[in-house]
Amino acid sequence: MKKQMIRWLLCLLAAPLTAASLNVPQASAEETALPATPWPGEETVTVYDTEPVFYGNASGLDFHSGRLYAVDNGGGFLWVLEAFPDGSLHPADGYGIGREVQYADRDSVRGPDPEGITVDGDGLVYLAVERDNDMPWQTQNVILQLDPWAPSDPIKAMQQWDLTASLPYAPANKGIEAVEWVSADSVRGRITDCNTGLPLDMDNYPDACSDGLFFLALEANDQIYGYVLNSDGSAVQIARLDPGLRGISALEYDPAEGALWVTADDRGGNEAAKLLLSDPAAQWQRILPPVGLDPRQNTEGFAIAEEILTRDDRRPVYRLRDGVHDGALTVGFMHWHVHQFPEEWVTDGYRHWHVCRCGETADAEEHTFVHMLTEAAQAAAQQDHMAAYHPLCRLCGYVDTGRTFCVGQDLYPELSDTPVISQLYGIPCI
């Protein structure tokens, strides 16, 4: 208990991180505010649920394996929707309506109050709950782990972690607002463990229930906290980050870019902040919402579709609005180019490579030459048992017609004992 208290104090006193691996003191938002960049995509958004789908308190979103996961905090309901490249959605099997969820250790008549949702690499769902709706006056910051495909009704949490004591005080309805799982590989070398002062090493946490960190957003102070959740129900706070946003409502990690996104609700004008965990030198970047999104609406969920759903450089982005029965979920698009390299090679006299339509190149390497008998030399070869050859690349098919050699004269000595072509034509090596 004493060690846990010391760890908690160290993390509490640690300076917020602007570049996630550096313990550099954070200046005030006024001192460091950068001009916000425009939304990197289409400015229009489209309403998905023109007819009521959710129950009026839609709160959190996450994307995993081609599916969009949504949660309603009014009574603790979960939805899973199949997603398609054009942004359209269809309820997954068993999710024609929202499925009720419950605590691991008790039932709640009015259900938990889950504000955020994330899915780990094993497909397990984690809900960020800020209170029990049976006791709405009392803050209780809990993470629930559940199997979204469990046959039970309601879905009973498999495990839970009570983080209330490890976080700063938060009034009721001002607790954890979002949660996002990020794999250990994605944060390695980018997050400093406040318990050791060194880059995070998951080997120090052998009891972690998932190979990664859980980032939580606390509504009371608009700070983000990184946790390791242990399989015995304990938790260890690892880091604290300050993205410089007001009204933080959602977290999203995009593995395609290696970026942690943070979005605000109407209190922050629906702006976003992004930190490239893939770039050790990166700082937080402010991003404006699309013009078609009303900055005054209470947007609490944000999710980016996986890269595989990109079509024509358009990648679906979903937002979830709290407090409405229809028109809660909107679909927009960000610009995203996925390189597509055709099978045909581009060549010169020395190398071959593939080219994407955007001009990006890949797979460049030197030719691997073998000997090729030319048709023009076949008659002469049959007459005097000599033949002219050209070098042929065995991978891309490039023929170097500017160079010739005869049977018994090898361009590459290492091929001298395998005159395959001459054997095929019945031409003896001389």
Side-chain angles (χ1 to χ4, degrees), residues 134-188:
D134 285 350
M135 299 177 288
W137 59 86
Q138 179 178 327
T139 301
Q140 188 181 55
N141 291 314
V142 174
I143 302 296
L144 302 181
Q145 178 200 64
L146 55 93
D147 178 359
W149 310 109
S152 60
D153 188 19
I155 302 175
K156 194 81 169 176
M158 304 161 61
Q159 194 165 2
Q160 65 189 47
W161 294 264
D162 191 337
L163 307 180
T164 309
S166 67
L167 289 166
Y169 168 75
N173 204 30
K174 293 291 183 179
I176 50 177
E177 188 70 14
V179 60
E180 184 70 3
W181 176 83
V182 181
S183 72
D185 287 341
S186 299
V187 297
R188 185 169 288 118

Side-chain angles (χ1 to χ4, degrees), residues 106-413:
R106 66 186 185 279
D107 292 335
S108 172
V109 175
R110 295 179 178 84
D113 182 357
E115 298 286 345
I117 184 171
T118 191
V119 186
D120 72 5
D122 296 324
L124 295 177
V125 167
Y126 296 79
L127 302 180
V129 178
E130 66 179 358
R131 58 184 176 174
D132 186 335
N133 284 321
D134 285 350
M135 299 177 288
W137 59 86
Q138 179 178 327
T139 301
Q140 188 181 55
N141 291 314
V142 174
I143 302 296
L144 302 181
Q145 178 200 64
L146 55 93
D147 178 359
W149 310 109
S152 60
D153 188 19
I155 302 175
K156 194 81 169 176
M158 304 161 61
Q159 194 165 2
Q160 65 189 47
W161 294 264
D162 191 337
L163 307 180
T164 309
S166 67
L167 289 166
Y169 168 75
N173 204 30
K174 293 291 183 179
I176 50 177
E177 188 70 14
V179 60
E180 184 70 3
W181 176 83
V182 181
S183 72
D185 287 341
S186 299
V187 297
R188 185 169 288 118
R190 293 290 287 120
I191 295 292
T192 297
D193 187 338
C194 67
N195 303 292
T196 65
L198 300 172
L200 174 64
D201 183 354
M202 290 300 293
D203 289 341
N204 293 331
Y205 304 98
D207 298 326
C209 73
S210 184
D211 187 24
L213 275 189
F214 290 85
F215 289 99
L216 314 175
L218 188 66
E219 185 177 1
N221 62 4
D222 289 324
Q223 299 287 290
I224 299 170
Y225 298 85
Y227 276 87
V228 169
L229 304 181
N230 291 320
S231 55
D232 64 358
S234 63
V236 183
Q237 190 179 120
I238 300 298
R240 180 161 60 103
L241 296 81
D242 182 2
L245 282 185
R246 182 170 177 265
I248 291 177
S249 60
L251 297 171
E252 170 76 346
Y253 178 70
D254 177 15
E257 188 180 15
L260 179 65
W261 286 74
V262 185
T263 59
D265 56 21
D266 54 311
R267 294 168 297 166
N270 281 253
E271 287 192 7
K274 181 177 72 172
L275 179 66
L276 289 176
L277 296 181
S278 58
D279 180 0
Q283 298 292 319
W284 288 103
Q285 176 188 2
R286 283 179 59 215
I287 301 172
L288 295 172
V291 173
L293 184 71
D294 187 347
R296 299 167 297 179
Q297 76 178 35
N298 185 21
T299 305
E300 294 197 355
F302 178 81
I304 302 172
E306 291 157 333
E307 186 178 44
I308 195 172
L309 291 182
T310 303
R311 293 292 185 276
D312 300 323
D313 295 343
R314 302 166 78 241
R315 191 173 172 197
V317 177
Y318 302 90
R319 292 176 175 83
L320 195 57
R321 180 182 180 185
D322 194 6
V324 295
H325 287 274
D326 54 3
L329 183 62
T330 58
V331 184
F333 293 90
M334 65 189 304
H335 298 315
W336 191 260
H337 179 68
V338 178
H339 295 305
Q340 294 179 332
F341 298 100
E343 294 183 2
E344 294 77 15
W345 293 93
V346 177
T347 67
D348 61 18
Y350 306 97
R351 301 181 307 152
H352 53 244
W353 60 93
H354 289 119
V355 180
C356 177
R357 60 184 172 85
C358 72
E360 185 77 11
T361 62
D363 309 319
E365 60 183 6
E366 292 183 358
H367 292 306
T368 302
F369 284 119
V370 294
H371 304 162
M372 183 186 75
L373 178 66
T374 63
E375 293 182 3
Q378 290 185 46
Q382 292 171 358
Q383 180 178 349
D384 57 16
H385 302 289
M386 294 292 289
Y389 287 76
H390 292 308
L392 164 72
C393 179
R394 68 171 76 238
L395 293 179
C396 71
Y398 172 80
V399 178
D400 187 351
T401 58
R403 289 188 291 171
T404 61
F405 58 95
C406 296
V407 172
Q409 175 191 354
D410 287 295
L411 186 64
Y412 293 102

Side-chain angles (χ1 to χ4, degrees), residues 413-429:
E414 64 270 18
L415 298 176
S416 61
D417 58 349
T418 58
V420 177
I421 299 298
S422 64
Q423 293 176 12
L424 288 176
Y425 282 97
I427 303 168
C429 287

